[in-house]
């Protein structure tokens, strides 16, 4: 790990930056001490100014030896830390990321999940025979790190601000990534996906999405029609093009639990897979299992669009114009006659 320049110039009175480097305001002094212990760092003493002295976790990497004479301190009010010997310093999120060898998004989530000391004690009291993994705890306050998507990002995906607001889509300014909340059918937050240009990450790790659908909480109890796509941003794209009832299954394969949720909301499904072999095959397989159960099942066929002179072949719904999207949905074929 390279030394970070300018990550934190002082422990006292240092200004905590926004984004992933921000220390959540609900991390009170005692919580920093508890969090240090949860990281495996022994707090040797805390002085009157609020400096917790520990052995530097970066000494071995930076200097080639362990910190035998403690030269490392963490401010329990701000979480800023620094070692006067090896120069390792930064915010509390930087420290967590370094010690646990994880990215800043995971580190920020870990910090938020520490809560207050009393909260942790209550959780431990309820789980006397089981270790409580606080990194799995998410809540609505977790989304406070993010903002509304900027105009340039909306234009790049041909999304509207109104559609993003409807689906709860947010933006991570530090990583220039989309934040896509994952909720259950009742709207309870389960976690989120962070999606960049060529990467995505689930928060928390191991987030299970096979029993929910992106956007489900935003739909009425009964819908005239549901349009099922693979990617959350594709659902927002359809809504931006004026197509209501778009949901995403978080991938090509649709679980039976997800199909049950769809049946509870509508009797007319338009399956809009990505224009690739896995997407087309998964749509055909899902239709084979579920058609004929009181569900009018149609699948989008890309071939009419691709056969038009001058038409551009699209890989997924996000590649098409609003006019083409509406055409494809309107001309979806009955599942019985669909050929992948």
């Amino acid at each position: 790990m390279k030394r970070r320049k300018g990550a934190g110039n002082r422990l006292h009175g240092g200004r905590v930056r926004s984004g992933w480097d921000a220390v959540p305001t609900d991390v009170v002094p005692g919580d920093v001490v508890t969090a240090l212990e949860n990281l495996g760092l022994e707090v040797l003493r805390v002085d009157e100014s609020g400096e917790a002295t520990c052995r530097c976790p970066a000494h071995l990497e930076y200097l080639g030896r362990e910190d035998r004479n403690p030269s490392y301190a963490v401010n329990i009010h701000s979480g800023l830390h620094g070692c006067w010997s090896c120069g390792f310093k930064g915010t509390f999120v930087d420290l967590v990321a370094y010690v646990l060898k994880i990215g800043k998004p995971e580190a920020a989530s870990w910090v938020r999940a520490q809560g207050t000391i009393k909260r942790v004690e209550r959780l431990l009291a309820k789980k006397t025979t089981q270790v409580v993994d606080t990194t799995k705890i998410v809540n609505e306050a977790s989304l406070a790190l993010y903002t509304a998507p900027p105009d340039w990002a909306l234009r790049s995906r041909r999304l509207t601000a109104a559609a993003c607001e409807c689906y709860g889509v947010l933006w991570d300014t530090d990583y220039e990534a989309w934040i896509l909340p994952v909720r259950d059918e009742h709207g309870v937050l389960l976690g989120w996906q962070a999606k960049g240009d060529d990467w995505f990450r689930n928060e928390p790790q191991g987030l299970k999405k096979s029993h929910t659908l992106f956007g489900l909480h935003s739909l009425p109890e009964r819908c005239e029609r549901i349009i099922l796509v693979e990617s959350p941003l594709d659902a927002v794209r359809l809504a931006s093009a004026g197509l209501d009832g778009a949901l995403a299954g978080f991938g090509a394969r649709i679980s039976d639990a997800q199909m049950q949720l769809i049946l509870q909301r509508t009797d007319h499904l338009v399956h809009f897979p990505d224009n690739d072999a896995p997407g087309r095959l998964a749509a055909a397989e899902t239709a084979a299992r579920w058609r004929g159960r009181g569900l009018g099942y149609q699948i989008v066929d890309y071939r009419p669009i691709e056969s038009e002179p001058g038409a551009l072949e699209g890989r997924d719904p996000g590649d098409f114009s609003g006019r083409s999207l509406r055409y494809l949905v309107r001309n979806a074929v009955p599942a019985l006659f669909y050929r992948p």
Side-chain angles (χ1 to χ4, degrees):
M1 176 178 175
K2 297 182 179 179
R3 302 185 188 184
R4 298 181 178 88
K5 296 183 178 179
N9 296 323
R10 51 184 176 171
L11 294 179
H12 291 293
R15 182 176 181 272
V16 182
R17 296 175 293 170
S18 61
W20 288 119
D21 292 336
V23 177
T25 56
D26 62 347
V27 177
V28 297
D31 293 323
V32 173
V33 174
T34 301
L36 286 170
E37 294 174 346
N38 289 341
L39 285 173
L41 300 180
E42 180 186 3
V43 177
L44 302 175
R45 61 182 176 274
V46 179
D47 63 24
E48 294 180 357
S49 65
E51 302 293 336
T53 299
C54 309
R55 299 186 189 278
C56 179
H59 245 53
L60 183 60
E61 179 180 353
Y62 281 16
L63 301 179
R65 63 177 185 273
E66 299 289 352
D67 187 9
R68 296 184 178 86
N69 299 308
S71 52
Y72 175 72
V74 180
N75 186 281
I76 65 173
H77 302 291
S78 67
L80 296 174
H81 63 93
C83 178
W84 60 263
S85 178
C86 75
F88 176 60
K89 62 183 178 180
T91 65
F92 200 81
V93 171
D94 292 328
L95 172 61
V96 173
Y98 180 87
V99 172
L100 299 183
K101 302 186 185 312
I102 57 178
K104 282 191 178 182
E106 292 88 350
S109 178
W110 188 95
V111 172
R112 286 193 304 269
Q114 298 308 297
T116 65
I117 291 177
K118 290 184 178 179
R119 176 188 174 196
V120 174
E121 289 176 347
R122 286 197 301 269
L123 287 170
L124 291 175
K126 293 179 180 179
K127 302 284 185 177
T128 54
T129 61
Q130 181 177 343
V131 175
V132 177
D133 186 357
T134 57
T135 63
K136 304 293 187 195
I137 300 172
V138 297
N139 52 51
E140 295 293 339
S142 304
L143 299 178
L145 289 171
Y146 310 115
T147 65
D151 290 341
W152 68 265
L154 294 174
R155 290 194 298 271
S156 72
R157 291 273 185 168
R158 291 184 285 187
L159 306 179
T160 65
C164 287
E165 183 178 1
C166 177
Y167 284 84
V169 175
L170 297 169
W171 182 257
D172 178 356
T173 57
D174 286 348
Y175 286 80
E176 293 191 350
W178 301 91
I179 300 299
L180 307 162
V182 179
R183 299 179 182 275
D184 68 13
E185 59 184 303
H186 306 294
V188 177
L189 182 67
L190 304 176
W192 60 89
Q193 278 190 346
K195 179 174 176 56
D197 288 338
D198 55 2
W199 61 272
F200 76 91
R201 181 184 297 110
N202 291 326
E203 182 66 41
Q205 293 183 11
L207 174 64
K208 294 183 179 180
K209 305 176 292 295
S210 61
H211 284 67
T212 189
L213 294 153
F214 178 77
L216 185 65
H217 72 285
S218 66
L219 298 186
E221 291 186 4
R222 290 295 297 176
C223 304
E224 181 179 347
R225 175 191 66 191
I226 283 178
I227 307 172
L228 179 62
V229 297
E230 296 183 20
S231 165
L233 283 178
D234 285 343
V236 184
R237 171 68 186 122
L238 263 64
S240 299
L243 291 163
D244 297 331
L247 299 176
F250 301 104
R253 296 197 172 278
I254 306 301
S255 71
D256 288 348
Q258 290 173 320
M259 287 301 300
Q260 288 287 1
L261 291 173
I262 290 173
L263 276 172
Q264 293 171 12
R265 299 292 180 105
T266 190
D267 54 12
H268 180 197
L269 174 65
V270 176
H271 200 150
F272 201 148
D274 283 0
N275 190 20
D276 54 27
R280 293 190 295 267
L281 288 172
E285 290 172 0
T286 305
R289 296 199 316 269
W290 286 90
R291 65 172 182 256
R293 302 195 190 188
L295 180 66
Y297 203 129
Q298 294 177 285
I299 303 176
V300 165
D301 188 346
Y302 286 89
R303 283 169 290 191
I305 285 288
E306 295 171 1
S307 65
E308 289 187 1
L312 296 176
E313 181 177 353
R315 186 177 60 84
D316 57 50
D319 293 334
F320 290 91
S321 68
R323 179 180 178 181
S324 293
L325 289 173
R326 291 188 291 272
Y327 175 88
L328 286 167
V329 171
R330 186 170 60 250
N331 290 279
V333 301
L336 182 64
F337 304 112
Y338 179 74
R339 296 294 178 267

